[in-house]
Amino acid sequence: MSLRLTNSLSRRLEVFQPLAPGQVSIYCCGVTVYDLCHLGHARSYINWDVLRRHLIWSGYRVRFVQNYTDIDDKILRRAAEEGSSMAAVSERNIEAFVADMARLNILPADRMPRATGSLAAICALIGELEAKGAAYSADGDVYFAVMRHAGYGKLSGRDLGEQQQNAAGRVASEEEARKQHPFDFALWKGAKPGEPSFDSPWGPGRPGWHIECSAMVRAELGDTIDIHLGGADLIFPHHENEIAQSEAATGQELARFWLHNGMVNVGGEKMSKSLGNFTTIRALLDSGVSAMTLRLFVLQAHYRKPLDFTTEALEAAATGWKGLNAALTLAAGSDGERAAITPAQPASDPAALAPELAAARERFATAMDDDLNTSAALAVLFELARPLRALANRLERGDAAGGDPALGPALHQRGELLLELAAVLGLRPEAVSTPAAFAAGGPDQAAIEALIEQRRAAKACRDFASADRIRADLLQQGIELIDRPGGHTEWLRR
RNA sequence: GGCGGCAUGGCCAAGUGGUAAGGCAGAGGAUUGCAAAUCCUUUACCCCCAGUUCGAAUCUGGGUGCCGCCUCCA
């Protein structure tokens, strides 16, 4: 079965066929680096990372480009607020972005161009549009003329003739006055006094938002790419405008497939900076939610549907991940390379797999090929994991034959397959947080361990009342005790 | 107002014509000094109405409810 994806252009499921056999070019709209990334970004980039991994796993060579928007009003405002510069704000947030993505096990893009590094290409493109009559300049600004571009609105289903021209009062009226049509958008904005600016044939200023993507796609990947990615909130106007600019300039179709991910909601509303209902990726991860838990949470839903962020759902994902992680950890063994498994050609030879495992692999591939049905794919992972979890627990209790996790050929093969398929979803064994990692607050480690020793002594004398009191007291202070086989007691902060 | 999407058990969520995956929670069991953890087993007729069909959660028409975009936004 071949990969089918929902193409926003047709709003239909289409069989994916790259332009050049065996290789796929992808452009993903990146972030405006004025602040830290939140869970909406996490969802988007986790999903696209999975698309990329699935393509690689399926045997394609993938070239993946993602931009940084580092010229923007919000960055300027932020810089002004903190008395620093646009470059400083951008640099800081780019570093944070890279770190956050790495924590989520999102593969770095092959190229990550910045708007500030693409000015020559941007100006060239604007010049081309102006020369072709698709754009006009007005008072130092340059605008794209939507009425002169046949097909404007094809992505978002907007009809210029029928559109309510309700932009009045929402957009700076002076800018509105310069436009020939309300939907015309700025390719170049002339600098206002005191603003940082870049030189251009139209005078000092800075590029509009949409043009950078058109310029970067062309510079990095060519006139027509296979897949263009972004959040559903970018369909209009951003992607619509991108299409108009690029296609007016090149005469070629910009992207053959457009994929859009659904929003992360909080209490039924979209998570966004303006609503103030966002949680940053690092705040969540630093609060003790593991990166793989977040990944599982995201992948349990289909990428196109809205995903409601609730603590209940997140806790469910955490518990689910715990089980999966136990199986993955056992399968990976002590081999460090295993933990760092990267997607590649199929690691297992399907022909050599036991029938049950071959069927599981097939179900996984079919699910992923069906518009990235990660929810169904995860079900396969959970089923593969079950016997491994059971063994992991038996080993922990010490009642499995032999101390060595010699899995036996069948379980070994199952473990290998589980690791292979999990890697397609970017899921990898994750070290369980150690008490040391939660060293802040409450009783210190030495005190806790002293109490554990007291309790052990009490239990040895069958003084369970004292033992239970110690356990209850510690729980009051947020310390949970877990008795393990062999009289050993572990603890963790709740 | 225009465009688009969604509605499946207590919660999350697959399934697009043949009698409902998976996860969480719950229940029962095993285990445990008791707990926790772990393992096993177990729980639905799919928003409403009317159609099409031998047969629909799945197709058609009409409702109802919710969300996104139309302004920066993943």
Side-chain angles (χ1 to χ4, degrees), chain A residues 278-330:
Chain A
F278 61 92
T279 303
T280 63
I281 293 170
R282 54 185 52 192
L284 187 75
L285 297 186
D286 290 345
S287 77
V289 173
S290 83
M292 292 299 111
T293 291
L294 178 55
R295 222 172 154 110
L296 183 65
F297 170 69
V298 165
L299 296 176
Q300 271 183 318
H302 185 83
Y303 76 91
R304 297 178 60 242
K305 288 193 176 179
L307 174 62
D308 223 41
F309 176 71
T310 63
T311 51
E312 295 76 29
L314 202 62
E315 278 165 16
T319 315
W321 168 245
K322 209 166 131 195
L324 213 45
N325 192 32
L328 285 166
T329 301
L330 178 72

Side-chain angles (χ1 to χ4, degrees), chain A residues 19 22 31 46 85 97 107 110 154 170 189 221 258 298 309 339 359 377 399-400 458:
Chain A
L19 215 48
V31 284
I46 286 171
S85 67
F97 174 88
L107 299 170
D110 296 309
K154 71 177 181 179
R170 291 181 142 186
K189 299 177 181 179
L221 298 167
W258 287 83
V298 165
F309 176 71
D399 61 353

Side-chain angles (χ1 to χ4, degrees), chain A residues 2 29 192 260 290 372 380 408 411 416 421 428:
Chain A
S2 51
C29 276
K192 298 187 182 77
H260 292 99
S290 83
L372 303 178
V380 176
L411 272 180
E416 292 293 302
L421 301 186
R428 62 183 176 193

Side-chain angles (χ1 to χ4, degrees), chain A residues 52-398:
Chain A
R52 185 176 174 196
R53 287 169 182 267
H54 180 54
L55 287 167
I56 293 171
W57 183 66
S58 303
Y60 289 107
R61 291 213 326 271
V62 178
R63 185 161 170 78
F64 194 102
V65 177
Q66 182 168 1
N67 71 303
Y68 290 116
T69 298
D70 62 349
I71 303 175
D72 173 80
D73 287 346
K74 287 180 196 163
I75 304 174
L76 284 173
R77 197 182 317 136
R78 188 60 57 98
E81 281 166 14
E82 59 188 50
S84 91
S85 67
M86 188 164 85
V89 171
S90 298
E91 201 57 48
R92 186 180 71 226
N93 287 305
I94 286 173
E95 277 175 32
F97 174 88
V98 169
D100 288 348
M101 295 300 113
R103 286 176 81 175
L104 294 174
N105 196 26
I106 291 169
L107 299 170
D110 296 309
R111 296 269 297 146
M112 302 215 66
R114 306 181 186 193
T116 51
S118 309
L119 284 159
I122 290 169
C123 288
L125 187 55
I126 297 174
E128 209 171 317
L129 287 168
E130 202 177 29
K132 289 188 172 173
Y136 57 94
S137 56
D139 284 342
D141 293 349
V142 182
Y143 293 98
F144 185 89
V146 294
M147 291 302 276
R148 294 184 220 159
H149 181 67
Y152 186 84
K154 71 177 181 179
L155 179 68
S156 57
R158 251 147 264 258
D159 182 76
L160 287 175
E162 288 179 3
Q163 277 302 307
Q164 295 267 330
Q165 301 188 357
N166 62 351
R170 291 181 142 186
V171 181
S173 55
E174 49 187 283
E175 181 181 317
E176 208 55 32
R178 283 184 223 125
K179 292 184 181 179
Q180 296 175 357
H181 182 101
F183 276 14
D184 286 354
F185 53 91
L187 299 172
W188 189 264
K189 299 177 181 179
K192 298 187 182 77
E195 277 183 352
S197 63
F198 306 90
D199 287 330
S200 82
W202 309 276
R206 53 205 160 87
W209 174 36
H210 316 296
I211 193 70
E212 67 175 67
C213 286
S214 286
M216 289 179 199
V217 167
R218 197 178 189 190
E220 299 288 345
L221 298 167
D223 288 352
T224 299
I225 64 173
D226 291 305
I227 304 175
H228 194 125
L229 306 171
D233 52 355
L234 296 185
I235 292 173
F236 189 89
H238 184 54
H239 288 163
E240 194 68 71
N241 292 350
E242 223 182 299
I243 289 173
Q245 293 163 340
S246 290
E247 299 188 356
T250 68
Q252 304 294 314
E253 186 177 35
L254 172 57
R256 301 171 59 247
F257 279 79
W258 287 83
L259 271 51
H260 292 99
N261 64 274
M263 301 293 99
V264 171
N265 291 167
V266 180
E269 275 188 321
K270 175 182 164 183
M271 177 178 286
S272 73
K273 288 285 166 67
S274 45
L275 286 170
N277 59 352
F278 61 92
T279 303
T280 63
I281 293 170
R282 54 185 52 192
L284 187 75
L285 297 186
D286 290 345
S287 77
V289 173
S290 83
M292 292 299 111
T293 291
L294 178 55
R295 222 172 154 110
L296 183 65
F297 170 69
V298 165
L299 296 176
Q300 271 183 318
H302 185 83
Y303 76 91
R304 297 178 60 242
K305 288 193 176 179
L307 174 62
D308 223 41
F309 176 71
T310 63
T311 51
E312 295 76 29
L314 202 62
E315 278 165 16
T319 315
W321 168 245
K322 209 166 131 195
L324 213 45
N325 192 32
L328 285 166
T329 301
L330 178 72
S334 53
D335 186 349
E337 289 302 301
R338 271 297 139 56
I341 191 166
T342 51
Q345 297 300 313
S348 58
D349 176 5
L353 285 175
E356 183 204 353
L357 298 182
R361 192 178 193 283
E362 185 60 33
R363 272 190 294 138
F364 179 90
T366 301
M368 292 300 288
D369 278 346
D370 181 17
D371 203 24
L372 303 178
N373 189 340
T374 51
S375 185
L378 277 169
V380 176
L381 258 52
F382 277 107
E383 283 160 20
L384 281 173
R386 197 171 298 123
L388 291 161
R389 285 169 70 178
L391 178 65
N393 186 51
R394 265 182 277 132
L395 286 170
E396 187 188 45
R397 290 158 145 263

